[in-house]
């Protein structure tokens, strides 16, 4: 699978991922060969590029859950983009609360884990895709923590608007999120104050949202800018958004910055208990797949292998089938774990693990 920029698309290339319009209608399915007319049409969507299958590459599996996930993301980003621009102009938002409720309905009521698919982002759509993903993760975490619906709604609304202040910044700062100098940080803080004022008068948000935003902004400053190692005291609700924010930022794919793997991101969050509540990080781990069966991994002994069983008690210690000699490593066994650990994971370009499920069952029977 390759990522091809819009200007480099050629007639006959096969799509690796479906393309939906802002209403969620499927326009081009996977494995579709794009035409000259199709390229012209797709360019009008404002996309940075497309995932393309290589000439002899078979079509990878895509579950209905994953297809719906991508459809919902596409629809929601269009909706959120309009509302955040209305919000920052002190205009009435149209569907901000409705979007939050839809997110809670879809992802705040799930019993099982989901495969949280990331996608490459451009400077034009990073803020909107990031805010949406933070809201979805916040809904998942809130569910695991058994937070009631009114509180969850405030948390998800806060996640949707937590970065809206960046729309008030100059273009050179709009997509910068860390490493500000003092002058830049002053501009960022000024824009945050103005954004909070806009949120405060918006009829679709609440006073609780503005309070959560204030806490989150203090946390973001400590994480990415001031770094005094004196992390501010924040509520569980604010910690949910901050944890989701950090996880998405660490694992997202951007053209100008490589992501880290999900397990590396989780390890980073776990290493900073003052910044990220242990119970919130645990709820995140229980909400999404980190090291699921079917995932290829790199082991600390230099070998590569396949996860064949998760470890529900400690995600870092699954059962792994080594590729070298088909040896099974049970990392849940303390003796084995002292010798071998998961170093990192191997992924497809769209950050999704792909394996034939029947083949996986055969490995499990070895």
């Amino acid at each position: 699978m390759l990522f091809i920029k819009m200007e480099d698309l050629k007639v006959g290339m096969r799509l690796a991922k479906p393309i939906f319009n802002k209403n969620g209608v499927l326009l081009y399915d996977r494995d579709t060969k794009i035409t000259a007319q199709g390229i012209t049409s797709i360019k009008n969507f404002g996309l940075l590029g497309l995932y393309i299958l290589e000439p002899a590459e078979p079509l990878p599996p895509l579950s209905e859950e994953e297809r719906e996930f991508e459809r919902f993301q596409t629809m929601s980003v269009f909706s959120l983009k309009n509302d955040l621009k209305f919000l920052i102009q002190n205009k009435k938002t149209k569907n901000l609360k409705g979007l939050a409720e839809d997110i809670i309905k879809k992802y705040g009521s799930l019993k099982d884990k989901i495969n949280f698919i990331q996608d490459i982002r451009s400077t034009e759509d990073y803020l909107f895709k990031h805010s949406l993903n933070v809201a979805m993760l916040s809904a998942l975490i809130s569910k695991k923590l058994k937070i009631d619906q009114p509180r969850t709604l405030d948390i998800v609304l806060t996640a949707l608007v937590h970065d809206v202040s960046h729309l008030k910044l100059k273009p050179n700062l709009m997509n910068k999120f860390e490493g500000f100098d003092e002058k830049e940080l002053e501009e960022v803080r000024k824009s945050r104050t103005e954004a909070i004022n806009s949120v405060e008068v918006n009829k679709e948000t609440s006073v609780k949202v503005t309070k959560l935003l204030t806490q989150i902004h203090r946390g973001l400053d400590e994480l990415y800018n001031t770094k005094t190692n004196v992390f501010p005291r924040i509520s569980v609700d604010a910690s949910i958004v901050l944890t989701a924010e950090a996880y998405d930022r660490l694992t997202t794919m951007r053209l100008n910055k490589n992501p880290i793997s999900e397990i590396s991101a989780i390890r980073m969050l776990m290493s900073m208990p003052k910044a990220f509540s242990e119970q919130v990080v645990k709820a995140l781990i229980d909400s999404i797949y980190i090291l699921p069966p079917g995932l290829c991994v790199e082991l600390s002994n230099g070998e590569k292998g396949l996860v064949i069983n998760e470890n529900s008690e400690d995600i870092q210690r699954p059962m792994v089938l080594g590729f070298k000699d088909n040896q099974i490593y049970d990392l849940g066994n303390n003796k084995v774990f002292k010798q071998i650990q998961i170093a990192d994971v191997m992924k497809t370009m769209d950050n999704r693990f792909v394996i034939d499920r029947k083949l996986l069952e055969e490995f499990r029977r070895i």
Side-chain angles (χ1 to χ4, degrees):
M1 185 183 295
L2 304 171
F3 180 79
I4 305 295
K5 290 184 178 181
M6 293 304 295
E7 58 268 26
D8 296 326
L9 289 176
K10 293 182 172 59
V11 172
M13 286 182 169
R14 295 184 299 142
L15 296 177
K17 303 182 77 173
I19 298 176
F20 301 94
N21 69 7
K22 63 181 180 180
N23 297 316
V25 176
L26 179 66
L27 299 178
Y28 301 95
D29 206 349
R30 300 186 312 142
D31 209 25
T32 299
K33 291 185 178 180
I34 52 178
T35 63
Q37 184 179 0
I39 291 175
T40 301
S41 175
I42 293 169
K43 283 181 178 178
N44 293 329
F45 297 161
L47 300 175
L48 187 64
L50 298 174
Y51 288 106
I52 297 296
L53 295 171
E54 296 188 68
E57 182 180 0
L59 188 66
L62 182 73
S63 69
E64 283 305 311
E65 179 189 59
E66 290 170 340
R67 180 184 287 270
E68 175 56 25
F69 187 92
E70 295 196 19
R71 190 185 78 88
F72 183 77
Q73 278 187 318
T74 301
M75 293 171 58
S76 300
V77 165
F78 277 106
S79 174
L80 181 60
K81 185 175 182 178
N82 289 332
D83 268 339
L84 290 188
K85 289 183 176 180
F86 286 144
L87 179 65
I88 213 69
Q89 296 168 8
N90 290 323
K91 294 180 180 179
K92 183 179 179 181
T93 53
K94 296 182 177 180
N95 193 43
L96 195 61
K97 188 175 181 180
L99 176 57
E101 290 171 339
D102 284 345
I103 291 170
I104 294 169
K105 184 178 179 180
K106 272 188 171 292
Y107 300 102
S109 59
L110 297 177
K111 295 181 180 179
D112 300 323
K113 292 184 179 183
I114 68 167
N115 182 20
F116 199 76
I117 304 168
Q118 293 283 27
D119 203 347
I120 198 159
R121 301 173 192 174
S122 68
T123 53
E124 289 77 17
D125 66 12
Y126 175 85
L127 185 147
F128 309 109
K129 288 184 176 180
H130 171 63
S131 298
L132 176 65
N133 274 12
V134 173
M136 294 165 74
L137 288 170
S138 295
L140 288 164
I141 295 170
S142 297
K143 164 67 175 178
K144 291 297 179 182
L145 293 177
K146 299 180 179 179
I147 292 175
D148 61 43
Q149 205 277 342
R151 270 180 67 193
T152 299
L153 181 59
D154 285 331
I155 291 168
V156 173
L157 279 169
T158 302
L160 288 173
V161 303
H162 81 280
D163 264 344
V164 69
S165 59
H166 280 258
L167 293 178
K168 296 184 75 70
L169 294 172
K170 297 174 183 177
N172 65 312
L173 294 179
M174 191 174 292
N175 285 289
K176 185 176 181 179
F177 296 91
E178 56 189 287
F180 297 106
D181 59 35
E182 283 302 316
K183 185 177 179 181
E184 291 173 337
L185 197 53
E186 186 179 336
E187 288 184 47
V188 169
R189 287 170 175 161
K190 180 183 176 182
S191 72
R192 285 175 179 169
T193 300
E194 293 174 356
I196 286 178
N197 291 337
S198 297
V199 171
E200 205 165 23
V201 299
N202 188 273
K203 292 183 179 180
E204 289 198 288
T205 54
S206 68
V207 175
K208 290 181 181 178
V209 171
T210 59
K211 289 182 178 179
L212 286 176
L213 278 178
T214 301
Q215 294 181 54
I216 290 163
H217 289 161
R218 288 202 303 266
L220 288 173
D221 272 355
E222 181 57 37
L223 280 174
Y224 302 119
N225 297 302
T226 54
K227 296 183 179 178
T228 62
N229 292 321
V230 182
F231 200 82
R233 292 178 65 86
I234 61 175
S235 65
V236 171
D237 295 6
S239 181
I240 289 172
V241 179
L242 197 64
T243 301
E245 198 278 343
Y247 178 82
D248 185 73
R249 190 176 303 215
L250 289 168
T251 58
T252 191
M253 294 189 283
R254 287 176 272 176
L255 283 184
N256 59 347
K257 187 174 182 180
N258 291 326
I260 65 174
S261 66
E262 287 92 336
I263 189 61
S264 296
I266 290 295
R267 285 169 175 164
M268 187 174 294
L269 297 179
M270 293 172 68
S271 72
M272 302 171 67
K274 290 184 179 179
F276 305 106
S277 161
E278 291 182 17
Q279 69 172 143
V280 172
V281 175
K282 176 65 165 57
L284 173 62
I285 292 169
D286 291 341
S287 299
I288 59 177
Y289 289 116
I290 306 296
L291 291 174
L295 184 67
C296 293
V297 295
E298 297 175 356
L299 300 174
S300 57
N301 64 355
E303 191 175 351
K304 294 178 173 56
L306 181 80
V307 175
I308 55 177
N309 273 320
E310 283 187 289
N311 186 325
S312 58
E313 294 183 3
D314 186 343
I315 60 163
Q316 300 189 69
R317 303 176 67 170
M319 189 172 289
V320 178
L321 175 74
F323 289 149
K324 186 178 180 180
D325 52 11
N326 282 348
Q327 181 176 348
I328 292 179
Y329 301 102
D330 182 2
L331 303 187
N333 182 303
N334 290 334
K335 188 176 180 180
V336 175
F337 191 70
K338 284 181 181 179
Q339 302 296 322
I340 301 171
Q341 297 89 41
I342 301 290
D344 212 335
V345 307
M346 301 158 58
K347 281 264 187 138
T348 59
M349 190 173 183
D350 66 342
N351 214 23
R352 182 167 53 88
F353 57 91
V354 175
I355 190 168
D356 186 293
R357 293 291 152 186
K358 291 182 180 179
L359 181 62
L360 179 60
E361 289 304 319
E362 290 182 17
F363 282 133
R364 283 174 166 168
R365 290 195 293 270
I366 291 177

